Amino acid sequence: MTGLKITKKKKVAWIEDYLDTLFPHPKCELNYQKDYELLIAVMLSAQTTDKSVNLVTKVLFERYQTLEELKNAPLEDIMTIVHPLGTYHRKAVYLLEIARILVEKYDGKVPCDRNALEQMPGVGRKVANVVLSEWFHFPNIAVDTHVDRVSKRLGLAKENDSVLEVEKKLQKTFLPENWSKRHLQLVLFGRYHCKSQKPLCKECELKEFCKAYQSKN
Ligand code: SF4
């Protein structure tokens, strides 16, 4: 099959239309009620699924209902709770340290500041982007494994681009007011359609100009 020869502008418009059709009201699939619950859930989500994180945080935040309680929780107990998520020792240590920093340094509030967020253990650019976008409603495109894969398959970024390069390219591709929505849509598209293994290319309306699909067909 020959790919459609269209301009980048048209291709982006097509992608945006398709994402809007598939996910008109995209939502973060991590469960949380408080700012620190979101921060901890996103930190815990490294190398695992949101579904697994939701099962763990349900137990965690029911047992420790305030940041103060969480800060004073025994490491052993936190390790047991987060065990299903993998790298549980490290995640438990990070979690307790984040709770301590929030209580002692930020009066129990998650700071609305990228540098402050990124100084916390287990919190890198992606986690900070998600928190700033999801809780504080700052336009952001957090690049996780799904966003990275989909962007490269579609040719919105190059195969060897770093996560930061992908983020910058997506910021140039989409309008700032849509960044947070596009981030969520690309996550969901990667999670349920353009999956890592066996992407659903047959039913995908982007295949006519998808770089990855065209290179294989
Ligand atoms: S055609 Fe396949 S690889 Fe390309 S975007 Fe669609 S699902 Fe992903």
Side-chain angles (χ1 to χ4, degrees):
M1 185 187 291
T2 310
L4 287 181
K5 298 279 181 220
I6 61 172
T7 63
K8 184 171 180 205
K9 202 172 162 192
K10 278 192 180 162
K11 171 174 162 173
V12 170
W14 196 327
I15 291 171
E16 291 188 296
D17 281 351
Y18 191 49
L19 292 175
D20 283 341
T21 304
L22 289 176
F23 311 106
H25 307 291
K27 291 215 167 21
C28 171
E29 293 189 322
L30 287 169
N31 296 337
Y32 65 91
Q33 300 200 332
K34 303 172 187 168
D35 55 355
Y36 72 83
E37 291 184 358
L38 172 66
L39 174 58
I40 287 171
V42 184
M43 182 277 288
L44 290 175
S45 71
Q47 312 293 322
T48 188
T49 64
D50 286 3
K51 212 170 155 189
S52 307
V53 173
N54 288 338
L55 291 173
V56 161
T57 52
K58 187 172 188 310
V59 176
L60 180 73
F61 297 135
E62 270 176 19
R63 188 168 307 177
Y64 301 102
Q65 298 196 354
T66 65
L67 253 186
E68 192 70 37
E69 287 174 14
L70 203 51
K71 169 180 119 55
N72 296 320
L75 176 61
E76 289 294 322
D77 194 37
I78 299 296
M79 276 168 53
T80 305
I81 295 173
V82 304
H83 190 276
L85 303 179
T87 56
Y88 61 94
H89 181 265
R90 194 169 56 201
K91 285 182 177 175
V93 171
Y94 288 171
L95 194 158
L96 290 175
E97 186 60 8
I98 288 173
R100 186 192 66 73
I101 293 171
L102 289 178
V103 170
E104 294 179 2
K105 213 168 161 188
Y106 298 106
D107 203 21
K109 300 258 187 305
V110 171
C112 180
D113 179 288
R114 173 183 299 285
N115 288 334
L117 286 168
E118 289 186 12
Q119 276 170 22
M120 293 188 211
V123 180
R125 188 173 180 87
K126 186 208 84 176
V127 176
N129 274 344
V130 172
V131 171
L132 290 169
S133 167
E134 185 71 17
W135 188 264
F136 295 105
H137 306 294
F138 282 163
N140 261 317
I141 299 186
V143 179
D144 71 353
T145 179
H146 300 298
V147 176
D148 187 72
R149 182 179 65 254
V150 170
S151 303
K152 288 174 180 176
R153 281 180 176 170
L154 283 171
L156 298 176
K158 292 205 171 110
E159 201 49 51
N160 55 0
D161 279 346
S162 67
V163 166
L164 186 58
E165 284 168 330
V166 174
E167 182 184 323
K168 298 290 171 208
K169 285 185 178 174
L170 293 178
Q171 284 178 343
K172 278 192 192 154
T173 300
F174 301 119
L175 291 173
E177 59 263 39
N178 291 330
W179 285 354
S180 297
K181 179 168 83 161
R182 296 297 174 227
H183 153 72
L184 288 168
Q185 289 174 325
L186 289 170
V187 170
L188 296 171
F189 184 58
R191 191 172 285 159
Y192 299 112
H193 294 256
C194 190
K195 302 188 257 190
S196 169
Q197 306 297 321
K198 300 189 183 162
L200 310 180
C201 300
K202 264 193 186 168
E203 63 191 54
C204 179
E205 291 184 14
L206 303 179
K207 60 177 169 289
E208 301 297 333
F209 53 77
C210 170
K211 209 172 144 211
Y213 182 86
Q214 291 301 326
S215 70
K216 286 186 192 149
N217 290 276

